[in-house]
């Protein structure tokens, strides 16, 4: 049966460990994606996700083609269920970045090939997988670490991190203004997942409290793609939720600073924190390529 990756919780913890192992596997020069054609379909801009997937596909011996929104007209020029069935007869996998997660679910439902979420309004699973891989590599373990996400707890990156941490044994604290707290459905799912892993999940509107707990301080933009009209009100609401030197000084000395990028410097994170010795943001970005290879091999071979 084909496997999709729309949401981190499509996987089991054992499958995530398998993806990490496959990501590390540089031993053979075989080309596991030889004769596979993969379509990248992006409705929004992307640097890391698009380039790392394209390079990963080439490194693994596959071919990729890339289309922008208007070229397919998903759900506009023709219905998603028709697009899904036609594409399934041409290519071996679809990687899609879309505004609406529901459209991705429909695309996957009618496709007979794997569909990978390259970011939607609800989730960014490939980012969260690669972030946990990075933390594992830096700290040598995941169990019992604490990640504090400061900022928009309701966004795609926060949602995927909450689920990934809940599955993989990383305690997670979300500090956000109450109107941007984590989605109820995500928290409910994470609570169920944490019953097996024993993870502690905390939601607070106090960034200092979250920083004191942190082995990893993580943030993302306050205004995600598609929310640009809300920018001014968001800047006001999040002004107390910036990762800056004061907040970093409250965290453990060896606390890692992470950001999925792109960063809006001077909003959610200061230049000095992004450039500090605690920051691993560029190593984090580099690992997107490493883990995309693991994801592709896991889903397609
Ligand atoms: N972090 C991330 O997904 O970056 P892009 O939007 O550039 O792909
Ligand atoms: N939350 C951000 C993540 C970008 C990688 C956005 O959706 O714009």
């Amino acid at each position: 049966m084909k496997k999709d990756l729309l949401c981190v919780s499509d996987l089991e913890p054992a499958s995530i460990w398998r993806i990490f192992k496959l990501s590390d596997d540089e031993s053979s020069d075989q080309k596991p994606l030889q004769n596979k054609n993969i379509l990248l379909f992006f409705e929004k801009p992307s640097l890391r996700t698009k380039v790392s997937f394209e390079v990963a596909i080439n490194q693994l011996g596959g071919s990729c083609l890339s289309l922008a929104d208007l070229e397919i007209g998903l759900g506009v020029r023709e219905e998603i269920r028709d697009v899904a069935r036609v594409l399934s007869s041409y290519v071996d996998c679809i990687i899609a970045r879309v505004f609406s997660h529901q459209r991705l679910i429909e695309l996957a439902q009618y496709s007979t090939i794997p569909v990978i979420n390259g970011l939607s309004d609800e989730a960014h699973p490939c980012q969260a997988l690669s972030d946990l891989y990075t933390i594992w590599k830096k700290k040598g373990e995941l169990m019992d670490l604490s990640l504090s996400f400061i900022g928009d707890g309701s966004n795609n990156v926060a949602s995927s991190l909450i689920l990934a941490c809940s599955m993989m044994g990383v305690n997670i604290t979300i500090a956000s203004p109450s109107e941007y707290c984590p989605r109820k459905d995500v928290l409910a799912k994470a609570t169920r997942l944490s019953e097996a892993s024993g993870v502690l999940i905390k939601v607070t509107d106090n960034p200092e409290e979250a920083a004191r707990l942190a082995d990893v301080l993580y943030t993302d933009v306050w205004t995600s793609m598609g929310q640009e009209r809300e920018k001014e009100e968001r800047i006001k609401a999040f002004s107390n939720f910036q990762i800056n030197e004061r907040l970093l000084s409250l965290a453990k000395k060896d606390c890692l600073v992470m950001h999925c990028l792109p960063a809006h410097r001077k909003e959610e994170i200061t230049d000095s924190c992004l450039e500090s010795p605690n920051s691993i943001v560029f190593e984090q970005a580099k690992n997107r390529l490493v883990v995309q290879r693991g994801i592709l091999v896991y889903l397609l071979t």
Side-chain angles (χ1 to χ4, degrees), residues 169-189:
V170 179
N171 298 315
I172 170 115
T173 301
I174 305 286
S176 50
S178 54
E179 63 273 36
Y180 298 100
C181 67
R183 296 163 54 106
K184 281 200 177 69
D185 58 333
V186 171
L187 277 183
K189 209 188 260 185

Side-chain angles (χ1 to χ4, degrees), residues 162-163 165-172 187-201:
I162 293 170
L163 295 176
C165 287
S166 303
M167 291 169 82
M168 300 299 282
V170 179
N171 298 315
I172 170 115
L187 277 183
K189 209 188 260 185
T191 304
R192 280 199 302 278
L193 292 166
S194 70
E195 281 162 17
S197 63
V199 155
L200 301 172
I201 303 168

Side-chain angles (χ1 to χ4, degrees), residues 96-113:
R97 171 167 288 196
V98 296
F99 282 98
S100 156
H101 192 78
Q102 286 312 313
R103 283 151 57 87
L104 203 58
I105 290 175
E106 193 177 341
L107 187 67
Q109 188 186 343
Y110 286 96
S111 298
T112 54
I113 52 173

Side-chain angles (χ1 to χ4, degrees), residues 28-56:
S28 84
D29 36 46
Q30 287 173 5
K31 301 287 183 201
L33 297 193
Q34 210 158 23
N35 301 324
K36 303 252 189 237
N37 290 292
I38 297 173
L39 175 74
L40 288 106
F41 165 66
F42 279 57
E43 291 182 343
K44 308 182 194 185
S46 169
L47 174 67
R48 280 143 291 269
T49 308
K50 191 156 187 285
V51 178
S52 61
F53 263 125
E54 288 199 12
V55 173

Side-chain angles (χ1 to χ4, degrees), residues 111-128:
S111 298
T112 54
I113 52 173
V115 175
I116 300 177
N117 181 0
L119 181 147
S120 68
D121 55 342
E122 291 186 17
H124 197 3
C126 302
Q127 179 73 51

